[in-house]
Every structure is written in C-alpha cells, then in structure tokens.
Amino acid sequence: MGIHKVRVVLTTWGSRGDVEPLVGLAVALRELGAEVSVCAPPDEDFSVLLGRIGVPLVPLGPTVRSVVANPKPPTAKDAFHLAPALVAARFEVLGAVAKGSDVVVATGLMPAGARDVAENLGIRYVYACFHTFGLPSRHFAPGMRPGTPSPEGETDNRVLWQQDAQRVNDLYGPALNSHRAALGLPAVDNVRDHVFTDRPWLAADATLCPSEGMTDLDLLQTGPWILPDDRPLPEGLAAFLAAGPPPVYVGFGSMAAYAPKDIARIAVEASRAQGRRTVLASGWAGLTSIDDDCFVVGEVNHQALFRRVAAVVHHGGAGTTTTAAVAGAPQVVVPLIADQPFWAARVAELGIGVAHDGPTPTVESLSAALAAALAPGVRDRAAAVARTIRTDGATIAAQLLVDGV
C-alpha cells in the first residue's frame, strides 16, 4: 500500500496581497510532501510569482489588473458583473481541479462557490483571511460594500452586519444558488456566513492583528503565510543603497486607481525635506520619478530591501505591513481603502510608525509623518516588535491541513 499524498487546492481572487500568502503556504505544504494546485487570477505577475516555486497557475476569472488598474476605481455596476462571473469560474475551474483532492483552501475577494465545490465533492473546505476587518463583530461596523447602503443613523452593529449579509446575498446569491441547484445542492440563505464558516483561519500575526474579541466567529490564528525570498537585490538598487544613508521606501502596490494624485513627486519632496533619498516602487500605478535622489524599482525582494531603508511609506496592505514589521522598519501608512485604515491604526498603536491622516498627503503632511516615523524611539520600538512577530505561520497552517485539522 502506498502512502496517501495529501492533495490541497488553494484558491484566491485579488491583488498580490491575496496571492503571495498562498504561494508561501504552497511552499510549506510541499515541504511536508503534499501536492498543491493554485487557482488564481491570470495576471502575469502572479504567474511569475508561482513560477518562482515551480507551481503552475491555474487561471481563475479575469485578471485583477483589468478590474482595478484603471484611472477610476471599479463601480458598483462593475461589482455586480464581476461577482457572478467569479462564482461561475469557481464552479468550473475548482470543480475540475479539486476532483481527487482532500481539501480546498479559499481566500481573497468573497470566494463564493469554493465551499460549494468542496461540498459537492465531499472534501474539506477552509476559509482563510489575512485580517479581521470583514468578519462579523459586535465591536465595529462593516466596511463599504456595493449594493443598498444601510440607512443613515443606524448604529446597531448587529443590524449593520445583517444588512452587510444582505448586500453579499444580492451580489453573489442568485449565481451561487443557481449553480448549487444544477448540482442538486440546497439553496444557501446567507452567502457571507456560508463562505466564512464558523471557524475561519486567520493568517496574520497576533501582535499586529490581535483576534481576541474582534469577531463573533471562532478564529483559528496561524500567523502570517510568508513566502521565503532569498533573491539578491538588483545591482543598480544595491549600488544606490550603498551610495548614501538609508533612503525612504515609497510604494502603493496594486492601488492603481486609488494612489494619491502626484504621490511620486510628493513622496520625493517629503523625503528630501527629511534629508533622505527615495526608493520608489512603480507598482500598478506606474509611479516614476526623474530625480537623482530617487531610484525607481519594479518587483524586488521586499524582505531584503526593507531591512536597508530608513522608513517604509505604503498603503497599509496586510502583506506590506507585515513585511515591514518583520524587517523592523518604521512605517508611514497612508490608508486608502478596505482594511488599510485598520493596519494604519495598528502601526500607530504599536508605536512602530505613523498613520497618515487621510488618503491624500501633501508634501507638508507626509514630511511631518516621516519626521515622526524617523524618530529614534520609533526605530527602537519597531526593532523590538520585529522580534515578537511569528514567521512560521505557513508551516503551522500546512501541518494543520496535512493532519486534517
């Protein structure tokens, strides 16, 4: 009798911050002898990312760039087109890939359809998230979601979360229940809670993202799923870093439609006002600069780079916040959407950086935030917190999956 090899299907739809943790988990799973498939958006960036570990990308849905990397943010109408398309893609793609597998792990933008495919195949399903922001809670109100807004003046969080569930039903319910009916499965009346399950996994560090009392659900916190990165920094960047004091890193990731207007110039001038050079990440917004004291980078090893900068200015994605925290780099978070204000608040509460007031910095406001973040006490605090952050979350999660927990 041969030993059964655990087969795991990982799936997401979202930006790099949704994809890279799954790649980190895939590495850990394979180290334990599991077989892994990854179903993700067919963006070239993600194919390259998975190519680094030798796992092919199974394309699911449209590219993320086609939805978010436009001059204007997606509209509610866009969301109502995208939601049923993603549900259909999950039934089709996961329905084929997950046959013969043991477990489906889903994350990213409301992965309606993943649990249903697992249910139809009689295999396990795990929903994982990278923060507690979207999970029902008595302690805070839900975030914005396309659909009918809650009435002005409504303050009861329980009522607000019920209305959030209805918005999810409106977005995903008709398509989900249509596909379920085609498989002979009964209808689901609360899509959000069905997707989340009673015991979601939280792939975030307990210091950065404490879970105690944050949600009414029974969270299993594994720690963040970090993809190990031993790539050397590009020669030009290494030379720039060596040519002077540590610069300030500025990057807004995939926030193309939301990046603050003129942020490249503002960031360079704000850094200069603090006597610092700038490393500017072009990201999906295509940020660029022609200043001699600024070096523009594409996709590089952030784990290595963040250990060599004076501060990290970013949008407050879960991945960037965690990477900067592990590196012990002071942070300035300019939160734009979704969970980003939460991470900005945590960075400020922990004393490892500064939350910029609002999403549209000026040279003056960003310079002031940088001055505060560059204070010696903040770097000392960031270094102290860095030593507390767990980096083995992917291994913990992989072991749980292999053990069938």
Side-chain angles (χ1 to χ4, degrees):
M1 288 285 287
I3 297 172
H4 172 70
K5 234 185 183 186
V6 175
R7 289 190 59 200
V8 183
V9 176
L10 309 177
T11 184
T12 190
W13 196 92
S15 65
R16 179 163 187 136
D18 296 298
V19 177
E20 186 165 320
L22 288 193
V23 184
L25 179 58
V27 170
L29 281 163
R30 291 202 309 181
E31 285 174 352
L32 295 177
E35 288 183 12
V36 186
S37 299
V38 179
C39 304
D43 294 76
E44 185 182 353
D45 307 42
F46 306 152
S47 295
V48 170
L49 189 59
L50 281 159
R52 269 170 44 198
I53 67 163
V55 171
L57 184 151
V58 180
L60 186 146
T63 64
V64 178
R65 272 198 189 224
S66 68
V67 176
V68 304
N70 299 308
K72 292 184 178 177
T75 64
K77 186 178 178 183
D78 295 331
F80 276 90
H81 283 302
L82 179 63
L86 288 177
V87 170
R90 290 192 188 98
F91 275 89
E92 180 184 345
V93 175
L94 293 177
V97 173
K99 282 178 182 168
S101 295
D102 297 284
V103 58
V104 172
V105 179
T107 187
L109 181 67
M110 189 63 64
R115 180 178 183 176
D116 316 272
V117 166
E119 180 185 345
N120 187 53
L121 294 172
I123 62 177
R124 287 168 55 223
Y125 163 80
V126 171
Y127 170 76
C129 50
F130 307 123
H131 50 78
T132 57
F133 173 73
L135 302 177
S137 172
R138 286 163 290 178
H139 306 295
F140 55 84
M144 298 283 288
R145 200 187 295 278
T148 306
S150 294
E152 280 188 38
E154 179 59 72
T155 57
D156 187 328
N157 285 337
R158 286 169 301 182
V159 173
L160 291 170
W161 280 105
Q162 287 166 4
Q163 291 163 348
D164 177 72
Q166 186 54 54
R167 284 190 284 275
V168 176
N169 280 349
D170 292 344
L171 277 163
Y172 297 94
L176 184 76
N177 284 323
S178 167
H179 285 278
R180 285 181 63 86
L183 294 174
L185 299 173
V188 168
D189 60 5
N190 184 325
V191 175
R192 185 197 66 200
D193 292 0
H194 172 74
V195 168
F196 289 171
T197 74
D198 293 332
R199 195 163 203 229
W201 290 15
L202 175 61
D205 177 73
T207 299
L208 293 175
C209 184
S211 59
E212 196 67 38
M214 292 299 288
T215 177
D216 304 334
L217 300 176
D218 179 23
L219 283 176
L220 190 162
Q221 189 159 13
T222 64
W225 300 344
I226 297 171
L227 173 64
D229 196 345
D230 57 3
R231 294 174 299 160
L233 295 175
E235 282 183 24
L237 174 58
F240 180 80
L241 292 169
V248 169
Y249 168 93
V250 179
F252 286 84
S254 57
M255 295 287 103
Y258 303 93
K261 183 174 168 53
D262 213 14
I263 185 60
R265 179 191 62 79
I266 289 169
V268 170
E269 291 188 20
S271 299
R272 199 177 285 150
Q274 297 304 319
R276 298 282 177 172
R277 302 171 300 153
T278 308
V279 172
L280 182 67
S282 56
W284 283 9
L287 303 182
T288 190
S289 171
I290 55 169
D291 298 88
D292 291 340
D293 57 353
C294 178
F295 191 94
V296 179
V297 296
E299 204 281 303
V300 296
N301 181 346
H302 283 156
Q303 293 168 26
L305 176 57
F306 287 1
R307 287 196 291 270
R308 298 186 59 182
V309 298
V312 175
V313 178
H314 64 101
H315 55 297
T320 310
T321 304
T322 302
T323 304
V326 169
Q331 305 182 47
V332 174
V333 184
V334 183
L336 306 175
I337 58 168
D339 57 312
Q340 295 165 13
F342 164 80
W343 293 109
R346 285 303 297 154
V347 163
E349 285 162 12
L350 288 166
I352 61 175
V354 175
H356 183 271
D357 184 14
T360 50
T362 62
V363 173
E364 292 74 22
S365 69
L366 191 57
S367 178
L370 265 175
L374 291 168
V378 176
R379 178 162 284 280
D380 292 345
R381 176 69 180 149
V385 169
R387 291 190 287 273
T388 73
I389 295 175
R390 297 199 70 140
T391 55
D392 60 350
T395 301
I396 290 168
Q399 193 69 61
L400 289 169
L401 290 168
V402 168
D403 292 345
V405 173

